[in-house]
């Protein structure tokens, strides 16, 4: 079904990333809320003390390396979940992009994980400029995957199938 689909270019990928970053901003706010609730819970049961801190956010700020790691894990989960589950993040769906293996099949969990690590927070897409005309970003080449552009009909059919699950 996707054997003859064209590969996505840099501009289309960046547009999808922009959509995803808006969603990630909301997800990050939810992650922050959960972190603050966890600090509140741990303080109330006596596991930690906030006596040396001005408030809950100050506690998180003083332990920011852990929160940064926690945040990065949320971001990786977002991409890995959507890529592995259906080959599309919400931004990719809006721009009719689909992540598949080079042979057109669905990606494996291992490919999704390696792709998330090698994408370098989206900087791997700049590889498209270095290898102009190939249509493969750095993360595509390292994981034997590709991002293709779907026709409107393919996108409707694919998303209709996902909705029926």
């Amino acid at each position: 079904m996707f054997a003859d689909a064209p590969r996505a270019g840099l501009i289309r990928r960046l547009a999808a990333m922009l959509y995803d970053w808006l969603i990630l901003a909301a997800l990050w706010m939810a992650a922050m809320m959960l972190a603050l609730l966890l600090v509140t819970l741990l303080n109330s049961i006596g596991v930690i003390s906030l006596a040396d801190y001005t408030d809950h956010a100050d506690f998180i700020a003083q332990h920011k390396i852990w929160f940064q790691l926690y945040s990065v894990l949320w971001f990786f989960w977002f991409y890995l979940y959507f890529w592995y589950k259906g080959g599309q993040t919400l931004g990719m769906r809006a721009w009719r992009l689909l992540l598949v293996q080079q042979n057109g099949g669905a990606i494996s969990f291992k490919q999704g994980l390696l792709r998330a690590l090698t994408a370098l927070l989206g900087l791997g897409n700049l590889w498209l400029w270095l290898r102009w005309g190939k249509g493969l970003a750095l993360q595509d080449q390292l994981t034997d995957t590709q991002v293709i552009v779907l026709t409107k009909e393919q996108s409707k059919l694919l998303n209709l199938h996902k909705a029926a699950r």
Side-chain angles (χ1 to χ4, degrees), residues 34-53:
L34 288 175
L36 288 169
L37 287 173
L38 180 63
V39 168
T40 302
L41 176 68
L42 293 175
N43 182 54
S44 68
I45 62 174
V47 174
I48 61 170
S49 171
L50 297 178
D52 297 333
Y53 305 97

Side-chain angles (χ1 to χ4, degrees), residues 10-31:
L10 180 63
I11 301 301
R12 199 171 197 113
R13 288 174 186 240
L14 293 177
M17 282 176 49
L18 181 61
Y19 274 55
D20 288 338
W21 287 347
L22 293 172
I23 296 163
L24 280 169
L27 184 64
W28 188 75
M29 285 186 249

